[in-house]
Amino acid sequence: MTVSTDLQPHYQVDGYEAFTALAFEKQWSDGLPLVPPTPHVITQFLDSVDLAPDTVIGTVPSRDIEITAEVVAANAVMAGCSVEHMPTVLAAARAHLSPLGNSHCVTATIMGAAQIVILNGPIRTRLGVISGDGAFGPGSRANATIGRALRLIVRNGVGSVPGGADRAGYSNPGRYSFCFGEDEERSSWTPLHVERGFAPDEDVVTVASVTDCYAMFERDGGDPESFLRRLSRLARCRPILPDGYLGENRFVLLVIGQHHRALLERAGWSKADVRAFVYPLLAAPHTHGAGVSCDHGMHPAGDSAACSLDGVEKADNVLIVAAGGDEPPLSWVIYSHMAAAISTPIVSRYEPNVKLVPAY
Amino acid sequence: MTATSAVPIGIDWETTLEIVDPRSGQRAIDKRRVQRAEAPRLATLRGRTIAFINNGVASADILQQALKVALAEKYGVADFVEVFKPSRSVAPTAEEWALVHERADAAVTLWGGCGSCSSRSMRDAIELEWNGIPAVTIVHESLVPSAEAMRRMSKMDGYEMVVVPYPAQAQFVWEPELLATVVEEILPKVVARLVDPSVA
Protein backbone atom coordinates (compact mmCIF):
# COMPACT_ATOMS: atom_id res chain seq x y z
CA MET A 1 0.00 0.00 0.00
CA THR A 2 1.34 3.41 -0.90
CA VAL A 3 0.22 6.27 1.26
CA SER A 4 0.85 9.94 1.08
CA THR A 5 1.42 12.16 4.08
CA ASP A 6 0.96 15.40 2.21
CA LEU A 7 -2.12 16.32 4.24
CA GLN A 8 -0.05 17.61 7.11
CA PRO A 9 2.57 20.39 6.92
CA HIS A 10 6.12 19.09 6.53
CA TYR A 11 9.36 20.52 7.87
CA GLN A 12 12.99 19.95 6.86
CA VAL A 13 15.41 19.89 9.78
CA ASP A 14 19.15 19.30 9.94
CA GLY A 15 19.41 16.28 12.20
CA TYR A 16 17.95 15.18 15.49
CA GLU A 17 19.04 18.19 17.52
CA ALA A 18 17.27 20.49 15.10
CA PHE A 19 14.18 18.31 15.24
CA THR A 20 14.17 18.47 19.03
CA ALA A 21 14.45 22.24 18.94
CA LEU A 22 11.58 22.43 16.46
CA ALA A 23 9.39 20.12 18.53
CA PHE A 24 9.85 22.17 21.68
CA GLU A 25 9.35 25.42 19.79
CA LYS A 26 6.10 24.11 18.33
CA GLN A 27 5.00 22.72 21.72
CA TRP A 28 4.57 19.19 20.39
CA SER A 29 6.35 17.60 23.34
CA ASP A 30 5.24 16.67 26.85
CA GLY A 31 8.66 17.87 27.96
CA LEU A 32 10.56 14.72 27.07
CA PRO A 33 12.48 14.04 23.86
CA LEU A 34 10.48 12.72 20.94
CA VAL A 35 11.13 10.30 18.10
CA PRO A 36 11.03 12.18 14.78
CA PRO A 37 7.75 11.57 12.92
CA THR A 38 9.07 11.09 9.41
CA PRO A 39 6.82 10.23 6.45
CA HIS A 40 8.59 6.90 6.03
CA VAL A 41 7.89 5.73 9.58
CA ILE A 42 4.37 7.13 9.62
CA THR A 43 3.61 5.24 6.44
CA GLN A 44 4.74 2.00 8.07
CA PHE A 45 2.46 2.66 11.04
CA LEU A 46 -0.49 3.39 8.75
CA ASP A 47 0.19 0.32 6.64
CA SER A 48 0.16 -1.83 9.76
CA VAL A 49 -3.54 -1.06 10.20
CA ASP A 50 -4.30 -0.65 6.49
CA LEU A 51 -5.33 2.96 6.87
CA ALA A 52 -5.23 5.91 4.51
CA PRO A 53 -3.73 8.98 6.19
CA ASP A 54 -6.87 11.07 5.82
CA THR A 55 -9.17 8.54 7.47
CA VAL A 56 -11.00 10.38 10.25
CA ILE A 57 -10.53 8.49 13.52
CA GLY A 58 -12.56 10.83 15.67
CA THR A 59 -13.76 14.37 16.12
CA VAL A 60 -13.97 17.02 18.82
CA PRO A 61 -17.04 19.00 17.78
CA SER A 62 -16.53 21.82 20.29
CA ARG A 63 -13.21 22.56 18.62
CA ASP A 64 -14.08 21.79 14.98
CA ILE A 65 -11.28 19.26 14.99
CA GLU A 66 -11.01 16.02 13.07
CA ILE A 67 -8.26 13.65 14.16
CA THR A 68 -6.93 11.69 11.22
CA ALA A 69 -5.08 8.41 11.08
CA GLU A 70 -1.96 10.29 10.08
CA VAL A 71 -2.10 12.41 13.24
CA VAL A 72 -2.59 9.28 15.36
CA ALA A 73 0.37 7.61 13.67
CA ALA A 74 2.61 10.68 13.93
CA ASN A 75 2.01 10.94 17.66
CA ALA A 76 2.49 7.20 18.18
CA VAL A 77 5.86 7.49 16.42
CA MET A 78 6.83 10.52 18.52
CA ALA A 79 5.88 8.69 21.73
CA GLY A 80 8.39 5.97 20.93
CA CYS A 81 5.93 3.26 19.96
CA SER A 82 6.92 0.41 17.71
CA VAL A 83 4.76 -0.37 14.72
CA GLU A 84 3.25 -3.30 16.67
CA HIS A 85 1.75 -0.81 19.12
CA MET A 86 -0.18 1.06 16.43
CA PRO A 87 -3.43 -1.00 16.59
CA THR A 88 -3.59 -0.44 20.33
CA VAL A 89 -2.90 3.27 20.07
CA LEU A 90 -5.51 3.53 17.34
CA ALA A 91 -8.10 1.74 19.50
CA ALA A 92 -7.28 3.93 22.49
CA ALA A 93 -7.70 7.05 20.37
CA ARG A 94 -11.06 5.85 19.09
CA ALA A 95 -12.24 5.13 22.63
CA HIS A 96 -11.17 8.53 23.92
CA LEU A 97 -12.68 10.34 20.93
CA SER A 98 -16.03 8.54 21.12
CA PRO A 99 -18.91 10.74 22.32
CA LEU A 100 -18.94 9.46 25.91
CA GLY A 101 -15.19 9.99 26.08
CA ASN A 102 -16.19 13.68 26.29
CA SER A 103 -12.84 14.76 24.94
CA HIS A 104 -13.23 18.53 25.07
CA CYS A 105 -14.31 18.39 28.69
CA VAL A 106 -11.69 16.02 30.05
CA THR A 107 -8.79 17.64 28.20
CA ALA A 108 -9.62 21.25 29.07
CA THR A 109 -10.52 20.77 32.72
CA ILE A 110 -8.82 22.57 35.58
CA MET A 111 -8.84 19.19 37.36
CA GLY A 112 -6.07 17.80 35.18
CA ALA A 113 -7.72 14.53 34.24
CA ALA A 114 -5.40 11.79 33.00
CA GLN A 115 -6.36 9.17 30.45
CA ILE A 116 -5.80 5.66 31.79
CA VAL A 117 -5.35 2.92 29.20
CA ILE A 118 -6.21 -0.56 30.51
CA LEU A 119 -5.37 -3.55 28.32
CA ASN A 120 -7.00 -6.95 28.31
CA GLY A 121 -6.52 -10.07 26.21
CA PRO A 122 -3.54 -11.87 24.65
CA ILE A 123 -2.05 -8.67 23.27
CA ARG A 124 -0.66 -7.93 26.73
CA THR A 125 1.71 -10.85 26.38
CA ARG A 126 2.58 -10.14 22.74
CA LEU A 127 3.48 -6.52 23.47
CA GLY A 128 5.07 -7.11 26.86
CA VAL A 129 2.51 -5.05 28.75
CA ILE A 130 3.13 -5.12 32.51
CA SER A 131 0.23 -5.93 34.81
CA GLY A 132 2.06 -7.16 37.91
CA ASP A 133 5.07 -5.54 39.62
CA GLY A 134 5.39 -1.94 38.48
CA ALA A 135 2.11 -2.01 36.56
CA PHE A 136 1.58 1.74 36.83
CA GLY A 137 5.05 2.32 35.36
CA PRO A 138 7.69 3.21 34.47
CA GLY A 139 9.69 0.31 33.08
CA SER A 140 7.90 -1.23 30.12
CA ARG A 141 8.12 0.16 26.62
CA ALA A 142 4.57 -0.91 25.83
CA ASN A 143 3.05 0.61 28.97
CA ALA A 144 5.09 3.78 28.64
CA THR A 145 4.72 4.47 24.94
CA ILE A 146 1.08 3.46 24.42
CA GLY A 147 -0.04 5.65 27.31
CA ARG A 148 2.24 8.45 26.15
CA ALA A 149 0.95 8.18 22.59
CA LEU A 150 -2.62 8.80 23.71
CA ARG A 151 -1.52 11.78 25.76
CA LEU A 152 0.39 13.21 22.78
CA ILE A 153 -2.73 12.72 20.66
CA VAL A 154 -4.63 14.70 23.29
CA ARG A 155 -2.00 17.41 23.11
CA ASN A 156 -1.39 17.61 19.38
CA GLY A 157 -4.49 16.02 17.90
CA VAL A 158 -7.14 17.37 20.23
CA GLY A 159 -5.26 20.62 20.80
CA SER A 160 -5.02 20.53 24.60
CA VAL A 161 -1.70 22.21 25.24
CA PRO A 162 -1.01 23.29 28.84
CA GLY A 163 -1.46 27.02 29.18
CA GLY A 164 -3.84 27.03 26.22
CA ALA A 165 -6.91 24.82 26.06
CA ASP A 166 -5.51 22.56 28.81
CA ARG A 167 -6.29 24.43 32.03
CA ALA A 168 -5.06 21.87 34.56
CA GLY A 169 -4.30 23.64 37.82
CA TYR A 170 -1.74 21.11 39.02
CA SER A 171 -1.93 18.54 36.26
CA ASN A 172 -0.94 15.01 37.15
CA PRO A 173 2.15 12.85 36.58
CA GLY A 174 -0.20 10.19 35.20
CA ARG A 175 -0.61 12.47 32.23
CA TYR A 176 2.84 11.57 30.91
CA SER A 177 1.61 8.01 30.51
CA PHE A 178 -0.79 5.77 32.44
CA CYS A 179 -1.21 2.37 30.83
CA PHE A 180 -1.30 -1.08 32.37
CA GLY A 181 -2.71 -4.53 31.77
CA GLU A 182 -5.12 -6.53 33.86
CA ASP A 183 -3.34 -9.43 35.53
CA GLU A 184 -5.56 -12.08 33.98
CA GLU A 185 -3.05 -14.88 34.50
CA ARG A 186 -2.73 -14.50 38.25
CA SER A 187 -6.40 -13.99 38.97
CA SER A 188 -9.37 -16.30 38.82
CA TRP A 189 -11.61 -13.30 38.34
CA THR A 190 -13.48 -12.55 35.12
CA PRO A 191 -11.40 -9.99 33.22
CA LEU A 192 -12.77 -6.50 32.71
CA HIS A 193 -13.27 -6.95 28.98
CA VAL A 194 -15.24 -10.17 29.44
CA GLU A 195 -17.45 -8.48 32.02
CA ARG A 196 -18.13 -5.84 29.37
CA GLY A 197 -19.23 -8.34 26.72
CA PHE A 198 -16.03 -9.18 24.84
CA ALA A 199 -14.65 -12.69 24.28
CA PRO A 200 -11.85 -13.87 26.58
CA ASP A 201 -9.40 -14.12 23.66
CA GLU A 202 -10.26 -10.69 22.27
CA ASP A 203 -7.74 -7.89 22.62
CA VAL A 204 -9.50 -4.91 24.19
CA VAL A 205 -8.51 -1.45 25.34
CA THR A 206 -10.43 0.49 27.98
CA VAL A 207 -9.79 4.23 28.23
CA ALA A 208 -10.88 6.13 31.31
CA SER A 209 -10.39 9.79 32.16
CA VAL A 210 -9.59 10.02 35.84
CA THR A 211 -8.38 12.41 38.51
CA ASP A 212 -7.70 11.33 42.08
CA CYS A 213 -6.05 7.99 42.85
CA TYR A 214 -6.14 6.87 46.48
CA ALA A 215 -4.19 3.88 47.72
CA MET A 216 -5.30 1.74 50.64
CA PHE A 217 -2.60 -0.12 52.54
CA GLU A 218 -4.14 -3.05 54.37
CA ARG A 219 -1.79 -5.62 55.79
CA ASP A 220 -4.18 -7.61 57.92
CA GLY A 221 -7.13 -7.92 55.63
CA GLY A 222 -9.09 -10.03 58.07
CA ASP A 223 -12.21 -11.27 56.37
CA PRO A 224 -13.43 -10.04 52.98
CA GLU A 225 -16.28 -8.06 54.47
CA SER A 226 -14.16 -6.00 56.82
CA PHE A 227 -11.55 -5.36 54.11
CA LEU A 228 -14.21 -4.21 51.64
CA ARG A 229 -15.89 -2.05 54.25
CA ARG A 230 -12.62 -0.20 54.79
CA LEU A 231 -12.04 0.12 51.05
CA SER A 232 -15.57 1.48 50.62
CA ARG A 233 -15.05 4.00 53.40
CA LEU A 234 -11.98 5.29 51.58
CA ALA A 235 -13.90 5.44 48.31
CA ARG A 236 -16.60 7.56 49.96
CA CYS A 237 -14.11 10.37 50.57
CA ARG A 238 -15.41 12.29 47.58
CA PRO A 239 -18.26 12.25 45.09
CA ILE A 240 -18.12 11.85 41.34
CA LEU A 241 -19.04 15.18 39.75
CA PRO A 242 -22.65 15.38 38.56
CA ASP A 243 -23.15 15.28 34.81
CA GLY A 244 -26.37 14.89 32.88
CA TYR A 245 -24.63 14.28 29.56
CA LEU A 246 -23.05 10.99 30.62
CA GLY A 247 -26.32 9.43 31.70
CA GLU A 248 -25.73 6.43 33.94
CA ASN A 249 -22.10 6.07 32.92
CA ARG A 250 -20.12 7.69 35.70
CA PHE A 251 -17.84 5.17 37.32
CA VAL A 252 -15.26 4.46 39.96
CA LEU A 253 -12.33 2.13 39.29
CA LEU A 254 -11.04 -0.26 41.94
CA VAL A 255 -7.65 -1.77 41.17
CA ILE A 256 -7.30 -4.70 43.54
CA GLY A 257 -3.77 -5.82 44.33
CA GLN A 258 -2.51 -9.37 44.58
CA HIS A 259 -2.49 -9.47 48.37
CA HIS A 260 -6.12 -8.44 48.59
CA ARG A 261 -7.18 -10.60 45.66
CA ALA A 262 -5.75 -13.60 47.48
CA LEU A 263 -7.86 -12.75 50.52
CA LEU A 264 -11.00 -12.43 48.43
CA GLU A 265 -10.38 -15.33 46.07
CA ARG A 266 -9.53 -17.71 48.90
CA ALA A 267 -12.93 -16.93 50.35
CA GLY A 268 -14.58 -17.58 46.99
CA TRP A 269 -15.45 -13.98 46.21
CA SER A 270 -15.82 -13.12 42.51
CA LYS A 271 -15.73 -9.62 41.06
CA ALA A 272 -19.53 -9.73 40.97
CA ASP A 273 -19.60 -10.63 44.66
CA VAL A 274 -17.26 -7.76 45.49
CA ARG A 275 -19.34 -5.36 43.44
CA ALA A 276 -22.59 -6.50 45.02
CA PHE A 277 -21.12 -6.03 48.48
CA VAL A 278 -19.43 -2.64 48.01
CA TYR A 279 -21.99 -0.86 45.86
CA PRO A 280 -24.59 -0.41 48.61
CA LEU A 281 -21.81 0.83 50.89
CA LEU A 282 -20.60 3.33 48.29
CA ALA A 283 -24.05 4.59 47.40
CA ALA A 284 -25.53 4.67 50.89
CA PRO A 285 -27.08 7.98 51.96
CA HIS A 286 -25.11 10.52 53.88
CA THR A 287 -25.36 8.94 57.29
CA HIS A 288 -21.76 8.09 58.08
CA GLY A 289 -20.97 10.77 60.60
CA ALA A 290 -18.70 8.53 62.61
CA GLY A 291 -15.63 6.85 61.22
CA VAL A 292 -15.33 9.00 58.16
CA SER A 293 -11.70 8.91 57.17
CA CYS A 294 -11.44 12.09 55.14
CA ASP A 295 -13.31 14.88 53.47
CA HIS A 296 -12.27 15.86 49.97
CA GLY A 297 -14.02 19.21 50.04
CA MET A 298 -16.22 18.43 47.06
CA HIS A 299 -19.17 17.55 49.26
CA PRO A 300 -21.80 20.21 49.88
CA ALA A 301 -20.79 23.02 52.21
CA GLY A 302 -21.49 22.23 55.83
CA ASP A 303 -21.77 18.54 55.05
CA SER A 304 -18.21 17.53 55.76
CA ALA A 305 -19.19 14.49 57.81
CA ALA A 306 -21.46 13.23 55.08
CA CYS A 307 -19.01 11.55 52.74
CA SER A 308 -20.57 9.45 50.04
CA LEU A 309 -19.56 8.33 46.60
CA ASP A 310 -22.43 10.18 44.96
CA GLY A 311 -22.58 9.77 41.24
CA VAL A 312 -22.15 6.08 40.51
CA GLU A 313 -25.65 5.19 39.43
CA LYS A 314 -25.41 1.43 39.29
CA ALA A 315 -23.28 -1.41 40.58
CA ASP A 316 -21.95 -2.20 37.10
CA ASN A 317 -20.17 1.15 37.17
CA VAL A 318 -17.90 -0.03 39.94
CA LEU A 319 -15.16 -1.26 37.61
CA ILE A 320 -12.81 -3.80 39.13
CA VAL A 321 -9.40 -4.63 37.70
CA ALA A 322 -6.78 -7.06 38.99
CA ALA A 323 -3.28 -5.59 38.79
CA GLY A 324 -0.14 -4.95 40.78
CA GLY A 325 2.68 -6.93 42.38
CA ASP A 326 2.68 -9.35 45.29
CA GLU A 327 3.67 -6.63 47.74
CA PRO A 328 2.83 -4.26 49.26
CA PRO A 329 -0.75 -5.03 50.29
CA LEU A 330 -2.26 -2.14 48.33
CA SER A 331 -5.41 -1.56 46.37
CA TRP A 332 -6.44 1.64 44.62
CA VAL A 333 -9.55 3.75 44.28
CA ILE A 334 -9.45 5.81 41.08
CA TYR A 335 -12.13 8.41 40.38
CA SER A 336 -13.58 9.13 36.97
CA HIS A 337 -13.81 12.66 35.65
CA MET A 338 -16.70 13.64 33.37
CA ALA A 339 -16.40 10.72 30.95
CA ALA A 340 -17.38 7.09 30.69
CA ALA A 341 -14.80 4.30 30.69
CA ILE A 342 -14.89 3.20 27.05
CA SER A 343 -13.89 -0.32 25.97
CA THR A 344 -13.24 -1.16 22.32
CA PRO A 345 -11.49 -4.02 20.52
CA ILE A 346 -7.91 -3.79 19.27
CA VAL A 347 -8.00 -4.99 15.69
CA SER A 348 -5.19 -5.53 13.23
CA ARG A 349 -7.12 -3.89 10.42
CA TYR A 350 -9.19 -0.76 10.81
CA GLU A 351 -12.96 -1.23 10.79
CA PRO A 352 -15.23 1.82 10.44
CA ASN A 353 -17.98 0.62 12.74
CA VAL A 354 -16.38 -0.57 15.90
CA LYS A 355 -17.95 -1.86 19.09
CA LEU A 356 -17.84 0.67 21.92
CA VAL A 357 -18.91 -0.17 25.47
CA PRO A 358 -20.76 1.77 26.67
CA ALA A 359 -22.25 2.99 23.41
CA TYR A 360 -23.53 6.55 23.09
CA MET B 1 3.14 -9.65 15.61
CA THR B 2 6.14 -9.07 17.88
CA ALA B 3 7.29 -6.16 19.94
CA THR B 4 10.91 -6.31 18.90
CA SER B 5 11.22 -4.11 15.80
CA ALA B 6 13.26 -0.98 16.21
CA VAL B 7 12.03 2.56 15.97
CA PRO B 8 12.85 4.91 14.44
CA ILE B 9 12.96 3.09 11.14
CA GLY B 10 15.39 4.39 8.55
CA ILE B 11 16.40 7.57 10.34
CA ASP B 12 19.88 8.92 9.96
CA TRP B 13 20.24 11.06 13.04
CA GLU B 14 22.69 13.55 11.61
CA THR B 15 21.35 14.24 8.16
CA THR B 16 18.37 16.22 7.02
CA LEU B 17 15.08 14.90 8.29
CA GLU B 18 11.67 15.44 6.84
CA ILE B 19 9.19 15.86 9.69
CA VAL B 20 5.40 15.63 9.58
CA ASP B 21 3.48 18.09 11.73
CA PRO B 22 1.66 15.95 14.33
CA ARG B 23 -1.10 18.46 15.06
CA SER B 24 -4.63 18.36 13.77
CA GLY B 25 -5.54 21.07 11.38
CA GLN B 26 -9.02 22.43 11.77
CA ARG B 27 -10.32 20.53 8.78
CA ALA B 28 -13.91 20.33 9.97
CA ILE B 29 -14.35 24.06 10.34
CA ASP B 30 -13.04 24.56 6.85
CA LYS B 31 -15.48 21.98 5.52
CA ARG B 32 -18.40 23.77 7.13
CA ARG B 33 -17.40 27.07 5.51
CA VAL B 34 -19.09 29.01 8.28
CA GLN B 35 -19.06 32.76 8.25
CA ARG B 36 -16.60 33.37 11.06
CA ALA B 37 -17.85 36.82 12.00
CA GLU B 38 -19.83 38.54 14.68
CA ALA B 39 -23.55 39.04 14.16
CA PRO B 40 -24.90 42.57 13.75
CA ARG B 41 -25.56 44.18 17.13
CA LEU B 42 -29.03 45.29 18.22
CA ALA B 43 -30.14 48.92 18.22
CA THR B 44 -31.66 48.48 21.65
CA LEU B 45 -32.52 45.75 24.13
CA ARG B 46 -35.91 47.28 24.87
CA GLY B 47 -38.71 44.91 23.98
CA ARG B 48 -36.30 42.20 22.91
CA THR B 49 -35.85 38.58 23.99
CA ILE B 50 -32.54 37.50 25.52
CA ALA B 51 -31.44 33.88 25.74
CA PHE B 52 -29.28 32.53 28.55
CA ILE B 53 -27.14 29.46 27.86
CA ASN B 54 -26.29 28.23 31.34
CA ASN B 55 -23.81 25.46 32.22
CA GLY B 56 -24.81 25.28 35.88
CA VAL B 57 -21.31 25.86 37.23
CA ALA B 58 -20.96 27.46 40.69
CA SER B 59 -22.71 30.87 40.62
CA ALA B 60 -24.18 30.48 37.13
CA ASP B 61 -27.79 30.19 38.29
CA ILE B 62 -27.78 33.13 40.68
CA LEU B 63 -25.85 35.29 38.23
CA GLN B 64 -28.36 34.51 35.50
CA GLN B 65 -31.27 35.33 37.79
CA ALA B 66 -29.75 38.63 38.86
CA LEU B 67 -28.94 39.61 35.28
CA LYS B 68 -32.48 38.82 34.18
CA VAL B 69 -33.91 41.16 36.80
CA ALA B 70 -31.46 43.91 35.95
CA LEU B 71 -31.90 43.61 32.18
CA ALA B 72 -35.67 43.77 32.51
CA GLU B 73 -35.71 46.66 34.98
CA LYS B 74 -32.94 48.83 33.61
CA TYR B 75 -32.96 48.03 29.88
CA GLY B 76 -36.56 47.01 29.19
CA VAL B 77 -35.83 43.47 28.02
CA ALA B 78 -39.23 41.92 27.40
CA ASP B 79 -38.60 38.19 27.64
CA PHE B 80 -36.01 35.52 28.27
CA VAL B 81 -35.23 32.06 26.90
CA GLU B 82 -33.36 29.93 29.40
CA VAL B 83 -31.29 26.90 28.43
CA PHE B 84 -29.82 24.79 31.21
CA LYS B 85 -27.26 22.47 29.64
CA PRO B 86 -27.08 18.87 30.89
CA SER B 87 -23.34 19.11 31.35
CA ARG B 88 -20.94 21.94 31.95
CA SER B 89 -18.85 21.41 28.85
CA VAL B 90 -21.15 20.27 26.07
CA ALA B 91 -23.13 22.14 23.45
CA PRO B 92 -26.84 22.73 23.92
CA THR B 93 -28.98 20.04 22.33
CA ALA B 94 -30.36 20.51 18.82
CA GLU B 95 -33.76 21.26 20.32
CA GLU B 96 -32.28 23.88 22.64
CA TRP B 97 -30.41 25.53 19.78
CA ALA B 98 -33.61 25.57 17.73
CA LEU B 99 -35.50 27.24 20.55
CA VAL B 100 -32.85 29.92 20.93
CA HIS B 101 -32.59 30.54 17.20
CA GLU B 102 -36.36 30.81 16.91
CA ARG B 103 -36.98 33.14 19.82
CA ALA B 104 -33.88 35.04 20.89
CA ASP B 105 -32.66 38.38 19.59
CA ALA B 106 -29.43 38.18 21.58
CA ALA B 107 -27.82 35.82 24.06
CA VAL B 108 -25.67 35.57 27.17
CA THR B 109 -23.61 32.42 27.79
CA LEU B 110 -22.28 31.61 31.23
CA TRP B 111 -20.42 30.75 33.38
CA GLY B 112 -16.71 30.60 32.67
CA GLY B 113 -15.90 29.17 36.07
CA CYS B 114 -13.82 26.14 35.13
CA GLY B 115 -11.52 25.06 32.32
CA SER B 116 -13.68 23.13 29.92
CA CYS B 117 -16.89 25.02 30.78
CA SER B 118 -15.36 28.43 30.10
CA SER B 119 -14.09 27.35 26.70
CA ARG B 120 -17.38 25.64 25.80
CA SER B 121 -19.31 28.69 27.00
CA MET B 122 -17.15 30.84 24.75
CA ARG B 123 -17.89 28.41 21.94
CA ASP B 124 -21.63 28.68 22.61
CA ALA B 125 -21.41 32.44 22.15
CA ILE B 126 -19.33 32.09 18.98
CA GLU B 127 -21.76 29.62 17.42
CA LEU B 128 -24.60 32.01 18.16
CA GLU B 129 -22.69 34.77 16.39
CA TRP B 130 -22.17 32.52 13.38
CA ASN B 131 -25.92 32.03 13.29
CA GLY B 132 -26.66 35.73 13.36
CA ILE B 133 -27.44 36.17 17.05
CA PRO B 134 -25.30 38.71 18.94
CA ALA B 135 -23.95 37.12 22.08
CA VAL B 136 -21.60 37.61 24.99
CA THR B 137 -19.92 35.15 27.31
CA ILE B 138 -19.09 35.87 30.95
CA VAL B 139 -15.81 34.46 32.22
CA HIS B 140 -13.88 34.60 35.46
CA GLU B 141 -10.52 36.32 35.13
CA SER B 142 -8.68 33.10 36.03
CA LEU B 143 -10.21 31.33 33.04
CA VAL B 144 -9.62 34.01 30.42
CA PRO B 145 -6.81 31.94 28.84
CA SER B 146 -9.24 29.07 28.36
CA ALA B 147 -11.77 31.27 26.59
CA GLU B 148 -8.97 32.81 24.55
CA ALA B 149 -7.84 29.35 23.45
CA MET B 150 -11.34 28.54 22.25
CA ARG B 151 -11.77 31.75 20.30
CA ARG B 152 -8.36 31.10 18.71
CA MET B 153 -9.41 27.56 17.71
CA SER B 154 -12.66 28.99 16.37
CA LYS B 155 -10.72 31.57 14.34
CA MET B 156 -12.42 34.42 16.22
CA ASP B 157 -9.31 35.89 17.84
CA GLY B 158 -10.62 39.36 18.53
CA TYR B 159 -13.94 38.23 19.97
CA GLU B 160 -14.47 40.06 23.27
CA MET B 161 -15.75 38.57 26.51
CA VAL B 162 -16.96 40.05 29.78
CA VAL B 163 -14.60 39.26 32.64
CA VAL B 164 -15.47 38.92 36.33
CA PRO B 165 -12.45 39.71 38.49
CA TYR B 166 -11.43 38.60 41.96
CA PRO B 167 -12.46 38.78 44.79
CA ALA B 168 -15.37 36.87 43.19
CA GLN B 169 -14.28 33.25 43.01
CA ALA B 170 -14.71 31.11 39.91
CA GLN B 171 -15.81 27.98 41.74
CA PHE B 172 -17.86 29.41 44.62
CA VAL B 173 -21.51 30.31 45.00
CA TRP B 174 -21.35 34.02 45.83
CA GLU B 175 -23.02 35.67 48.80
CA PRO B 176 -25.80 38.14 47.86
CA GLU B 177 -23.68 41.21 48.54
CA LEU B 178 -20.88 40.00 46.26
CA LEU B 179 -23.38 38.98 43.59
CA ALA B 180 -24.85 42.48 43.60
CA THR B 181 -21.39 43.98 43.23
CA VAL B 182 -20.55 41.68 40.33
CA VAL B 183 -23.80 42.44 38.51
CA GLU B 184 -23.36 46.18 38.98
CA GLU B 185 -19.89 45.94 37.49
CA ILE B 186 -20.57 43.70 34.53
CA LEU B 187 -24.11 44.69 33.49
CA PRO B 188 -23.03 47.71 31.39
CA LYS B 189 -20.35 45.57 29.76
CA VAL B 190 -22.83 42.84 28.90
CA VAL B 191 -25.18 45.36 27.35
CA ALA B 192 -22.34 47.06 25.48
CA ARG B 193 -21.45 43.75 23.82
CA LEU B 194 -25.00 43.22 22.56
CA VAL B 195 -25.95 46.71 21.41
CA ASP B 196 -24.52 48.67 18.49
CA PRO B 197 -22.49 51.48 20.11
CA SER B 198 -23.15 53.83 17.23
CA VAL B 199 -26.88 53.56 17.94
CA ALA B 200 -26.73 53.35 21.72
Side-chain angles (χ1 to χ4, degrees), chain A residues 199-285:
Chain A
D201 61 351
E202 265 189 287
D203 296 321
V204 175
V205 63
T206 300
V207 174
S209 286
V210 304
T211 51
D212 308 12
C213 306
Y214 296 169
M216 190 177 86
F217 184 95
E218 181 66 60
R219 183 183 293 111
D220 301 314
D223 56 274
E225 288 90 343
S226 56
F227 161 67
L228 291 173
R229 280 196 190 93
R230 285 191 287 275
L231 187 65
S232 299
R233 189 178 305 146
L234 172 67
R236 287 170 61 92
C237 282
R238 54 154 288 187
I240 306 290
L241 287 172
D243 191 280
Y245 170 72
L246 294 175
E248 294 186 342
N249 288 301
R250 290 179 291 171
F251 68 94
V252 66
L253 172 63
L254 305 180
V255 179
I256 308 295
Q258 170 65 17
H259 199 89
H260 298 150
R261 290 202 305 277
L263 167 72
L264 295 163
E265 289 178 317
R266 269 200 310 271
W269 286 59
S270 66
K271 278 188 183 177
D273 295 330
V274 172
R275 191 177 289 114
F277 185 83
V278 302
Y279 182 69
L281 296 175
L282 299 178

Side-chain angles (χ1 to χ4, degrees), chain A residues 8 10 13 64 84 243-244, chain B residues 2 17-19 23 86-87 123:
Chain A
Q8 297 289 117
H10 286 212
V13 294
D64 280 326
E84 290 80 11
D243 191 280
Chain B
T2 67
L17 295 172
E18 185 175 0
I19 300 298
R23 298 170 295 185
S87 176
R123 178 68 183 202

Side-chain angles (χ1 to χ4, degrees), chain A residues 162-186:
Chain A
D166 177 357
R167 300 310 312 165
Y170 283 87
S171 201
N172 179 334
R175 298 175 103 204
Y176 283 105
S177 176
F178 200 162
C179 171
F180 62 96
E182 178 157 19
D183 194 348
E184 299 178 29
E185 289 71 22
R186 294 199 309 158

Side-chain angles (χ1 to χ4, degrees), chain B residues 19-32:
Chain B
I19 300 298
V20 177
D21 194 316
R23 298 170 295 185
S24 291
Q26 285 171 284
R27 291 153 41 93
I29 198 171
D30 294 332
K31 281 183 186 173
R32 281 171 44 176

Side-chain angles (χ1 to χ4, degrees), chain A residues 37-75:
Chain A
T38 65
H40 176 71
V41 187
I42 289 172
T43 298
Q44 293 205 13
F45 275 53
L46 291 170
D47 282 352
S48 74
V49 285
D50 196 20
L51 266 178
D54 62 346
T55 306
V56 175
I57 301 305
T59 63
V60 186
S62 285
R63 305 182 187 184
D64 280 326
I65 285 175
E66 291 180 342
I67 291 86
T68 63
E70 185 173 23
V71 166
V72 171
N75 284 283

Side-chain angles (χ1 to χ4, degrees), chain A residues 5 7-16 19 22 26 28 35-42 44-45 54 56 61-68 70-71 74-75 78 81-84 87 102 104-105 108-110 126-127 141 156-157 159 163-165 167 243-245 338, chain B residues 1-32 34 36 85-91 113-121 123 127 130 142-147 149-150 152-154 171:
Chain A
T5 55
L7 296 166
Q8 297 289 117
H10 286 212
Y11 303 88
Q12 299 283 340
V13 294
D14 292 328
Y16 182 73
F19 161 70
L22 175 75
K26 298 285 186 185
W28 298 345
V35 173
T38 65
H40 176 71
V41 187
I42 289 172
Q44 293 205 13
F45 275 53
D54 62 346
V56 175
S62 285
R63 305 182 187 184
D64 280 326
I65 285 175
E66 291 180 342
I67 291 86
T68 63
E70 185 173 23
V71 166
N75 284 283
M78 291 203 307
C81 289
S82 75
V83 71
E84 290 80 11
N102 209 7
H104 168 70
C105 177
T109 174
I110 54 178
R126 294 202 302 276
L127 297 184
R141 180 180 181 181
N156 295 310
R167 300 310 312 165
D243 191 280
Y245 170 72
M338 310 292 283
Chain B
M1 190 181 283
T2 67
T4 56
S5 66
V7 165
I9 302 164
I11 289 176
D12 183 335
W13 298 90
E14 294 184 355
T15 58
T16 300
L17 295 172
E18 185 175 0
I19 300 298
V20 177
D21 194 316
R23 298 170 295 185
S24 291
Q26 285 171 284
R27 291 153 41 93
I29 198 171
D30 294 332
K31 281 183 186 173
R32 281 171 44 176
V34 294
R36 288 188 285 270
K85 298 197 292 186
S87 176
R88 58 186 60 196
S89 307
V90 300
C114 70
S116 55
C117 64
S118 55
S119 45
R120 181 60 235 188
S121 194
R123 178 68 183 202
E127 292 192 18
W130 289 347
S142 63
L143 278 312
V144 166
S146 178
M150 177 54 77
R152 200 161 49 244
M153 285 190 281
S154 303
Q171 290 273 304

